[in-house]
């Protein structure tokens, strides 16, 4: 019976698309579910489609820069198989239970049983709080890029870029090219660490060259770049008016701006893997709990496959390769013939990216001391308005020694976003207060619905055929 | 003053909607977030502290961008497209 | 090296029942060791709906329930926190004439227990709760019932006991228990051995294991009430709502979130459960029908818990019939949160005085055995 069900892919980013392509080539007709209106995922997100009249006109070279060729290839790959997949855009998978997903589309909930589930759910920005981070005008780095790429908008007229990770310089560069004033790049990484790590990045000279180019371009245009920065606060009442920050020597400084683009790398979207029953492990490089996957993309649950940034941050190229690789594993598990040479090639390329990825995280380390500097009255949970002090208090008084308990007692992570924005912070605060490593305080259990579900969907459900 | 600044793609059709009762314009293909923040400084005020919010992640993760319509409907502004005739609110319903 | 603890009373399970028993035993001056496999109050006691309700209980539970009511009234003094407990009133709705008749009948039968029930119907009902519109023809209000935050209350009992000197060990499963002469011996792996004169079996849905170890098998079934909570909404409801005949129930917390319950989740294994999709969607539909204010709201989280149910839906509370010094309290069948502290106090009383004025006959452990 379950043999007759099509495989279901969640996520139409590079990982999901390359997986779908492989499955279609083997004669299967996968279902591809994505919350977004068009395929492409995060990095290769396409502008909105306008059916009649004037639409978005920037060419891919303007939208994706150096990655335009890859973006185009991924978009075309999906277009080419479009009529051989059951593609469900604007559809959120809000639950996974007993061999089926629950989908929400146009306000209606529907059950989609699967034999094989392929999770390519991607990632969003990882953040830690600073006073003022909830002010209008403070956006994530990824969000600031989405505004530009997807909407043709800048988040402000004079934007400060704060944080770490490859996106920091990339988005600053893209803003500058779009004619927006960049108030500065405020990199949390000390200069020396970056210089050291650059050596490791020589494994991938092309990426290194791009990174250097962004930095060079920014400098050439007079953009101040500061290393070893920590934010002090965002100032403003109704919207952000300035970023106050501490330089590497501990000097407090102020930069006026009308927007702050902020991020500390990415965090994987792992909720569906959790609900599907996948075993998790703590990943040092990502400083996060991730669903276990073997080299081929198999999870700990038979029939559930993981690929792309949703199960460990490795970037877009790796996502494409891992998507295809895990699809081959799925086919192998179905007893279909797979080309051994292709498997070997993919494995080799993924291994090289993994090595490069390690040096990237050395170049953009997570600012582990940040959490200590968060004042007790700083809001850490945007949804529920919970402060750092509340979390520290339940840790210090011995009431909470792990994440779910801290959530139960303080409400941090209990709001609409289900901890997406605060759980990195809570983990840091708890583990520092308790003197454990970041792996010592567990992880938030995922709960359905993984994103808010309209109450009206209860009356609007579609029964399983 | 608007929070978001248009820097490209300005040739699209104009869409008319109201923001807190005031007739305003956006462009077809704008999200509700873009439409509201090119006409104002916030999307909503928070339930617990009555402070302004304007979204954060723009990709459906932070859930900070839920806005109301005059009919009482709730929309996630970064994931919903603007349409002619929408009647959007950015004020608080909590302390009013 | 195995640690050894000698004490008067050993308690298996740190839910609201075991935690409150520990507190009252310490107040009476006995030495207490409470062993909790998970975190205290993390199971049913910490994840329930939060209804602190006497109304609607079988009459035989009302003495214990009244005793608990008095304890709830003293929470800040006992626990040092208010745990968001409010005496909002519990309003049980009648959606038909027969349902109203049965509410009136319950009021008659429960006279003398001190619930102070008021039947309110028609125009008076609509004036008092305009938010409920005409979706009920009337209701029965228990003005001093209410609701509380279970995540805060339940762990606080064990914490208060610990402050008074109880030994509370979390992450400590009891995996063997036996009687050696006049001492109970509890083992947690190789790490810990507890010896005690008295043993309280307050292990919730898992209590049957302890009971069985002493030759008292019980037909306890694990079930999983389904819960959902919405995003915060402007206040429209100030009472805890139930519906005569069952179905959906709901309460709005002071922060504005609406908590609703109804239907059942499913077991992942013996220790964990998940909400079930059909139950969740049905609950949402029924909740929106009862509370049109939820029409445009979103559910932000669903959950369930593991609760022990008995065939007659009354708990098992009282002395073991096989083993002197052992007392059971479990099988609350979805309604042990309110009554829990009253039961804990009664257990303490049984240990310290050998008896209790509470009528426990209906809760005998051997009432289900074929020979009883
Ligand atoms: C804004 C942004 C910019 C980035 N830029 C770069 C870059 O320049 N270079 C680089 O190497 N990496 C970049 N990254 C990292 C990027 O995530 C990956 O490189 C790449 O997009 C990963 O591909 P993926 O297929 O794993 O996931 P994604 O591309 O993130 O795709 C995941 C898809 O899954 C969908 N999805 C997730 N959960 C659900 C659900 N429950 N229901 C339905 N649909 C769901 C999402 O809508 C999304 O379309 C960026 C990330 C972000 C967030
Ligand atoms: C979803 C839900 C909603 C509910 N709603 C309400 C309501 O609104 N009102 C109401 O009055 N009641 C309600 N109830 C019922 C109420 O929560 C329970 O009856 C009550 O909490 C039972 O308390 P307890 O201490 O007996 O059990 P629990 O809270 O389950 O505590 C038992 C403890 O024993 C521990 N334990 C088990 N075995 C061992 C072992 N071998 N060693 C060590 N420790 C062990 C467990 O880890 C657990 O912490 C609800 C229950 C659920 C699940
Ligand atoms: S801005 Fe984060 S969900 Fe919309």
């Amino acid at each position: 019976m379950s043999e007759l069900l099509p495989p279901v892919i969640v996520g139409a980013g590079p990982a999901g698309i390359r997986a779908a392509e492989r499955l279609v080539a083997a004669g299967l007709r996968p279902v591809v579910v994505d919350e977004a209106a068009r395929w492409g995922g995060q990095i290769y997100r396409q502008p909105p489609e306008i059916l009649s009249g004037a639409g978005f006109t920037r060419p891919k070279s303007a939208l994706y820069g150096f990655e335009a060729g890859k973006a185009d290839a991924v978009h075309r790959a999906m277009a080419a198989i479009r009529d051989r997949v059951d593609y469900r855009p604007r559809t959120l998978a809000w639950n996974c239970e007993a061999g089926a997903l629950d989908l929400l589309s146009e306000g209606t909930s529907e059950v989609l049983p699967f034999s094989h589930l392929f999770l390519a759910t991607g990632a969003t920005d990882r953040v830690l709080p600073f006073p003022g981070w909830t002010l209008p005008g403070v956006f994530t780095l990824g969000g600031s890029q989405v505004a530009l790429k997807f909407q043709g908008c800048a988040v402000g007229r004079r934007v400060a870029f704060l944080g770490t990770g490859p996106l920091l310089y990339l988005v600053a560069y893209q803003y500058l090219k779009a004619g927006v004033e960049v108030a500065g790049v405020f990199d949390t990484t000390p200069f020396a660490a970056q210089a050291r790590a650059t050596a490791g990045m020589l494994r991938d000279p092309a990426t290194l060259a791009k990174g250097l180019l962004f930095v060079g371009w920014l400098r050439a245009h007079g953009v101040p770049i500061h290393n070893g920065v920590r934010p002090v606060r965002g100032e403003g009442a109704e919207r952000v008016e300035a970023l106050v920050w501490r330089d590497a020597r501990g000097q407090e400084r102020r930069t006026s701006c009308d927007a702050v683009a902020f991020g500390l790398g990415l965090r994987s979207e792992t909720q569906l893997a959790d609900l599907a029953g996948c075993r998790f492990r703590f990943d040092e490089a990502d400083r996060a709990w991730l669903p276990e996957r073997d080299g081929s993309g198999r999870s700990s649950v038979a029939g559930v496959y993981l690929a792309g940034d949703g199960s460990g941050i490795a970037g877009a190229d790796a996502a494409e390769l891992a998507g295809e690789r895990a699809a081959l594993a799925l086919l192998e598990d179905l007893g279909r013939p797979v080309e051994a040479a292709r498997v070997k090639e993919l494995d080799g390329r993924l291994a090289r990216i993994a090595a490069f990825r390690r040096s990237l995280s050395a170049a953009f380390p997570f600012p582990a001391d940040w959490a200590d500097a968060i004042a007790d009255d700083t809001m850490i949970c945007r949804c529920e308005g919970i402060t750092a002090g509340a979390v520290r208090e339940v840790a210090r008084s011995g009431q909470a020694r792990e994440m779910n308990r801290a959530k139960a007692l303080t409400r941090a992570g209990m709001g609409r976003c289900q901890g997406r924005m605060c759980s990195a912070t809570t983990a840091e605060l708890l583990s520092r207060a308790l003197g454990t490593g970041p792996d010592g305080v567990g992880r938030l259990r995922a709960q359905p619905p993984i994103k808010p579900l309209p109450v009206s969907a209860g009356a609007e459900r579609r029964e399983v055929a | 003053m608007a929070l978001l600044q248009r820097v490209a793609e300005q040739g699209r059709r104009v869409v008319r909607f109201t923001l807190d009762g005031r007739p305003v314009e956006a462009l077809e293909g704008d999200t509700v977030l873009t439409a509201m923040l090119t006409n104002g400084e916030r999307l909503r005020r928070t339930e617990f502290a009555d402070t302004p919010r304007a979204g954060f992640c723009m990709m459906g993760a932070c859930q900070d961008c839920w806005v109301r319509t005059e009919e009482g409907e709730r929309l996630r502004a970064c994931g919903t497209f603007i349409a002619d005739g929408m009647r959007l609110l950015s004020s608080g319903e909590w302390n009013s | 090296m195995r640690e050894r603890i000698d004490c008067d009373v050993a308690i298996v399970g740190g839910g609201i029942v075991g935690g409150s028993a520990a507190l009252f035993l310490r107040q009476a001056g006995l030495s207490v060791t409470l062993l909790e496999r998970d975190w205290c109050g993390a199971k049913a006691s910490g994840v329930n709906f939060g209804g602190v309700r006497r109304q609607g209980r079988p009459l035989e539970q009302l003495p214990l329930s009244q005793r608990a009511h008095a304890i709830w009234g003293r929470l800040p003094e006992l626990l040092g926190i208010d745990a968001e407990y409010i005496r909002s009133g519990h309003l049980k709705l009648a959606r038909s004439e027969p349902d109203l008749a049965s509410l009136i009948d319950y009021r008659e039968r429960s006279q003398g227990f001190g619930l102070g029930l008021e039947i309110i119907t028609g125009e008076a009902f609509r004036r008092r709760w305009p938010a409920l519109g005409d979706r009920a023809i009337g209701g029965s209000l228990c003005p001093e019932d209410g609701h509380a935050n279970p995540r805060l209350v339940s762990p606080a009992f064990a914490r208060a006991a610990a402050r008074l000197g109880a030994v509370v060990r979390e992450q400590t499963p009891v995996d063997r228990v036996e009687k050696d002469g006049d001492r109970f011996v509890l083992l947690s792996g190789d790490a810990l051995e507890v010896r005690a004169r008295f043993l309280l079996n307050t292990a919730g849905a898992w209590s049957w294991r302890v009971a069985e170890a002493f030759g008292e098998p019980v037909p306890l079934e694990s079930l999983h009430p389904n819960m959902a909570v919405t995003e915060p909404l402007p206040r429209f409801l100030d009472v805890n709502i139930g519906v005569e005949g069952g179905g959906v129930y709901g309460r709005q917390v002071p922060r504005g979130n609406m908590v609703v319950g109804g239907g059942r989740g499913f077991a992942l294994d013996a220790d964990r459960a998940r909400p079930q999709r059909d139950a969740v969607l049905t609950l949402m539909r029924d909740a929106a029908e009862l509370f049109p204010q939820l029409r445009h709201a979103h559910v932000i989280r669903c959950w369930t818990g593991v609760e022990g149910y008995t065939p007659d839906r009354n708990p098992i509370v009282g002395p073991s019939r096989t083993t002197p010094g052992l007392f059971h309290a479990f099988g609350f069948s979805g309604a042990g949160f309110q009554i829990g502290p009253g039961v804990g106090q009664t257990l303490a009383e049984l240990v310290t005085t050998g008896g209790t004025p509470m009528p426990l006959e209906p809760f005998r452990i051997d009432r289900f055995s074929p020979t009883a």
Side-chain angles (χ1 to χ4, degrees), chain C residues 84-364:
Chain C
E84 297 165 20
Y85 171 54
I86 18 187
R87 289 195 165 163
S88 59
H90 175 259
L91 179 64
K92 199 155 195 187
L93 301 176
R95 309 192 72 180
S96 68
E97 288 298 341
D99 286 349
L100 186 60
S102 96
L103 289 177
I104 294 171
D105 176 58
Y106 183 82
R107 184 186 58 178
E108 301 311 316
R109 290 188 293 120
S110 63
Q111 293 278 358
F113 286 103
L115 301 190
L117 299 182
E118 299 167 34
I119 303 285
I120 303 158
T121 59
E123 196 43 40
F125 177 84
R126 274 186 291 281
R127 261 203 320 275
R128 184 136 174 205
W129 293 288
L132 293 167
D134 51 8
R135 288 171 307 283
I137 59 171
S140 171
L141 177 72
C142 185
E144 291 212 339
D145 277 355
H147 51 106
N149 183 337
R151 303 187 308 272
L152 301 182
V153 179
S154 297
F157 273 102
R159 210 160 60 242
R163 272 198 301 270
L164 287 188
V167 175
V168 175
R169 292 293 169 84
E170 299 182 297
Q171 304 291 301
T172 307
V174 174
D175 29 46
R176 258 186 66 196
V177 46
E178 58 195 28
K179 197 155 187 197
D180 174 16
D182 65 348
R183 287 277 189 262
F184 290 93
V185 183
L186 292 76
L187 297 179
S188 183
D190 292 332
L192 178 65
E193 175 181 313
V194 177
R195 295 182 151 259
R197 282 191 296 137
F198 296 96
L199 175 63
L200 303 187
N201 175 18
T202 56
W206 304 272
S207 296
W208 60 271
R209 293 184 187 150
V210 177
E212 221 165 66
F214 293 100
E216 296 181 283
V218 279
L220 193 69
E221 182 190 10
S222 285
L223 293 174
H224 317 287
N226 213 54
M227 303 285 129
V229 63
T230 70
E231 59 197 319
L233 305 169
R235 286 307 293 273
F236 67 92
L237 190 65
D238 59 359
V239 285
N240 178 3
I241 295 281
V243 177
E244 174 62 16
V248 62
Y249 40 101
R251 65 187 182 103
Q252 190 174 25
V253 306
R255 291 164 68 88
N257 309 74
M258 186 74 190
V259 187
V260 293
R264 298 220 189 282
F266 68 100
L268 280 179
D269 54 38
D271 301 332
R272 297 174 306 154
R274 281 265 176 80
Q276 200 273 332
R277 60 163 62 90
D278 289 317
V280 168
L281 291 166
T282 303
L283 170 60
M284 285 164 38
R285 185 197 61 203
D286 293 351
E289 197 254 329
L290 188 60
F291 307 113
Q293 294 82 356
L294 303 187
R295 193 171 54 237
H296 295 303
H298 290 75
V299 165
I300 59 173
R301 196 157 26 87
C302 297
W303 73 98
T304 181
V306 182
E307 168 76 342
Y309 285 72
T310 63
D312 63 8
R313 301 303 191 240
N314 259 329
I316 288 160
V317 180
S320 157
R321 300 289 152 179
T322 61
T323 313
L326 167 63
F327 298 91
H328 302 289
F330 60 92
F332 292 92
S333 307
F337 183 54
Q338 187 276 340
I339 208 173
V343 173
Q345 190 175 49
T346 303
L347 292 171
E349 192 175 57
L350 286 167
V351 167
T352 50
T353 71
T356 173
M358 291 289 117
L360 297 182
E361 210 32 44
F363 312 130
R364 289 171 62 110

Side-chain angles (χ1 to χ4, degrees), chain A residues 106-387:
Chain A
E106 310 286 337
T108 302
S109 192
E110 182 185 353
V111 181
L112 179 68
F114 57 80
S115 60
H116 294 76
L117 176 63
F118 196 105
L119 297 175
T121 47
T124 71
D125 298 82
R126 171 171 59 187
V127 292
L128 291 178
F130 56 90
W133 72 303
T134 59
L135 279 173
V138 181
F139 292 98
T140 66
L141 274 171
S144 306
Q145 194 192 49
V146 168
L148 192 59
K149 209 159 42 175
F150 184 66
Q151 296 281 280
C153 284
V155 293
R157 292 177 196 277
R158 184 177 147 80
V159 186
F161 289 82
L162 167 69
T164 182
L167 275 181
L168 180 66
Y169 292 95
L170 169 65
V171 184
Y173 163 82
Q174 290 169 332
Y175 265 62
L176 193 63
K177 285 208 101 177
V180 183
E181 187 185 348
V182 175
V185 176
F186 304 89
D187 189 334
T188 56
T189 307
F191 183 73
Q194 223 151 51
R196 267 200 311 279
T198 313
M201 291 164 64
L202 290 170
R203 285 175 212 277
D204 183 352
T207 303
L208 180 61
K210 272 182 272 174
L212 294 176
L213 181 136
F214 300 148
V215 174
W217 181 279
L218 289 161
R219 284 198 201 286
H221 288 76
V223 172
I225 296 181
H226 305 280
N227 277 91
V229 170
R230 290 292 177 274
V232 174
R233 65 181 171 273
E235 283 184 352
E238 292 294 303
R239 58 186 288 175
V240 71
E241 287 160 14
L243 177 68
V244 180
W245 51 285
R246 192 165 288 122
D247 68 20
R249 288 182 323 231
Q251 203 78 38
E252 197 167 300
R253 299 168 66 173
R254 185 175 185 282
T255 300
S256 67
C257 57
D258 64 358
V260 177
F262 160 56
L264 298 166
L266 299 172
R267 48 155 288 282
S268 300
E269 277 284 298
T270 60
Q271 297 84 0
L272 288 176
D274 194 358
L275 293 176
C278 295
R279 203 164 50 228
F280 279 56
R281 65 177 173 86
F282 188 78
D283 184 89
E284 295 289 342
D286 284 8
R287 212 177 169 88
W289 289 86
L290 297 174
E292 286 179 24
R293 64 176 177 197
D294 67 12
S296 58
R298 291 181 180 91
S299 76
S300 64
V301 175
V304 178
Y305 305 82
L306 305 165
D309 277 2
S311 41
I313 306 304
D317 296 352
E320 282 191 56
L321 298 169
E324 183 183 351
R325 178 64 187 90
L328 289 170
L330 194 161
L331 290 170
E332 202 177 2
D333 294 347
L334 280 175
R336 305 291 180 104
V338 301
E339 205 187 312
R342 183 64 184 160
V343 168
K344 193 156 170 246
E345 184 192 344
L346 290 170
D347 287 347
R349 289 170 66 188
L350 280 165
R352 282 195 295 281
I353 293 187
F356 175 67
R357 153 82 192 128
R358 279 191 292 277
S359 44
L360 256 191
S361 47
F364 299 104
F366 182 78
D369 60 302
W370 181 310
D372 293 331
I374 301 172
D376 275 347
D377 63 357
T378 300
M379 183 188 297
I380 65 157
C381 170
R382 303 171 69 90
C383 300
E384 297 287 311
I386 309 303
T387 62

